[in-house]
Amino acid sequence: NGCVDTDSMTVIVNPPPTVDAGNNTGICIGDSIQLSALGGDIYLWTPADSISDVNIFDPIVWPNDTTEYFVLVTDSNGCINNDSVIITVHPLPNVSAGIDDTICFGDTIQLLGTGALTYLWSPNDSISDNTVAFPFIWPSDTTDYIVIGTDGNGCAQSDTVEIVVNVLPIVTAGSDVQICIGDSTQLSANGADSYVWTPNSSLTNAVISDPIAFPTDTTQYIVQGVDLNGCINTDTIIVIVNPLPNADAGANENICENDDLLLIAT
C-alpha cells in the first residue's frame, strides 16, 4: 500500500561516576587506617584481606605489606567506575636501649639509644634530657629505663635497659683518738674489702685496714673503702697529737750531808 509511519526513542548516555579512593598514604606495620571512597552508591573493595568490610565506602584496613586497594563503585544509574589507593607499610625501627649495666649509688652513667631518629626516655627522673639518644642518668635505686624511638616515617618501637644501683659500703674509720708526740696508735677500718689511707707519710702501710700511725702533728686520716661491687665510700678519723709537758725539776743544788732540801717540780 506504500504507507509509511515513523517513531523515535532517546538513548540517554550517563557518564560513569567520578570515583575517588583517596590519596596514597603510609602506615607502620601493625597499625590500621580508614579508607574513604567517594562517587557512588555501592562499593566493592579488593583485595578482601585485612579489611573490616569490603562493601562500605570507608572500611578500616591493616595490611602487613604495601598493598594497592581497588574500589569498584556503582552509582544510582548502574554505571560503574573504579579507583585505587596504595597503602605503603613501613617496618618498625630497630630500636635499642643498650645493654643492662650496674652502677654505685651516687654515680652517673650514659644511656645509649640507637636505631631511630628521635627518642623519648622514661621515667623522666634523674636524667639529663629524656629527648636525646645518649642522656646521662643518676638513679638512686635500680631502675628500668624505657626508650621509644621514632624513625623518619613516624614509626615507633621501644626497648628497655635495666640499671642496677648498688649501695655504697658502710665504711668506718673508728673514733678520734689522742696520743702524745712520739707515740703511735693503730688505726682500724671496716665495712669494705680493700682500703686506702691518706695521708700515707706517717703510716706503716696505707693499703691495709689497720695500719700503725705515728704522726708528729694532729692529723686527719681519710680511709677509702672499696667493696666487691667496686663501690667506694670514705670515713675519717682525727689523731690528736698532744705535746709533751714542759717538766722542770728546778736548778741543780748543793747541800751538806745530813741537810735536807725542798724539791719543786713544775
Side-chain angles (χ1 to χ4, degrees):
N1 297 311
C3 298
V4 178
D5 201 359
T6 64
D7 194 13
S8 66
M9 65 173 296
T10 301
V11 177
I12 301 174
V13 179
N14 294 308
T18 301
V19 179
D20 184 6
N23 297 323
N24 297 336
T25 189
I27 63 171
C28 304
I29 189 169
D31 289 348
S32 62
I33 190 172
Q34 189 167 30
L35 304 181
S36 182
L38 301 173
D41 297 288
I42 301 173
Y43 299 86
L44 179 64
W45 292 89
T46 54
D49 182 49
S50 302
I51 189 168
S52 61
D53 189 336
V54 297
N55 298 121
I56 60 176
F57 77 95
D58 57 350
I60 295 175
V61 296
W62 53 93
N64 291 321
D65 299 293
T66 297
T67 302
E68 184 174 11
Y69 285 93
F70 294 87
V71 61
L72 189 70
V73 178
T74 305
D75 64 12
S76 57
N77 296 312
C79 297
I80 299 174
N81 206 351
N82 65 78
D83 194 21
S84 67
V85 60
I86 298 174
I87 304 300
T88 302
V89 179
H90 301 292
L92 299 182
N94 186 20
V95 175
S96 172
I99 301 173
D100 295 344
D101 211 338
T102 301
I103 64 172
C104 300
F105 178 84
D107 287 350
T108 297
I109 191 173
Q110 190 172 26
L111 299 179
L112 302 175
T114 58
L117 183 64
T118 62
Y119 300 86
L120 182 64
W121 293 89
S122 62
N124 186 19
D125 181 49
S126 302
I127 190 169
S128 59
D129 187 342
N130 73 327
T131 62
V132 298
F134 310 135
F136 289 93
I137 58 168
W138 51 93
S140 56
D141 300 294
T142 296
T143 303
D144 287 338
Y145 284 90
I146 302 170
V147 63
I148 299 175
T150 305
D151 64 13
N153 296 313
C155 297
Q157 183 67 285
S158 66
D159 193 27
T160 302
V161 62
E162 181 184 43
I163 304 300
V164 176
V165 180
N166 290 318
V167 297
L168 301 183
I170 302 175
V171 177
T172 59
S175 302
D176 296 344
V177 66
Q178 297 191 48
I179 64 171
C180 298
I181 189 170
D183 288 347
S184 63
T185 186
Q186 187 168 32
L187 306 180
S188 181
N190 58 68
D193 293 280
S194 63
Y195 303 89
V196 177
W197 291 88
T198 55
N200 61 9
S201 58
S202 56
L203 296 175
T204 55
N205 190 337
V207 294
I208 61 175
S209 63
D210 54 353
I212 304 294
F214 42 90
T216 56
D217 297 295
T218 295
T219 303
Q220 177 176 267
Y221 290 96
I222 302 171
V223 62
Q224 183 183 79
V226 183
D227 66 11
L228 293 176
N229 295 315
C231 297
I232 300 172
N233 209 349
T234 62
D235 195 23
T236 62
I237 182 175
I238 298 176
V239 177
I240 300 171
V241 178
N242 294 310
L244 299 181
N246 188 19
D248 186 0
N252 296 333
E253 296 283 351
N254 294 311
I255 63 170
C256 297
E257 188 177 358
N258 297 325
D259 286 350
D260 56 34
L261 177 67
L262 179 67
L263 298 179
I264 301 175
T266 59

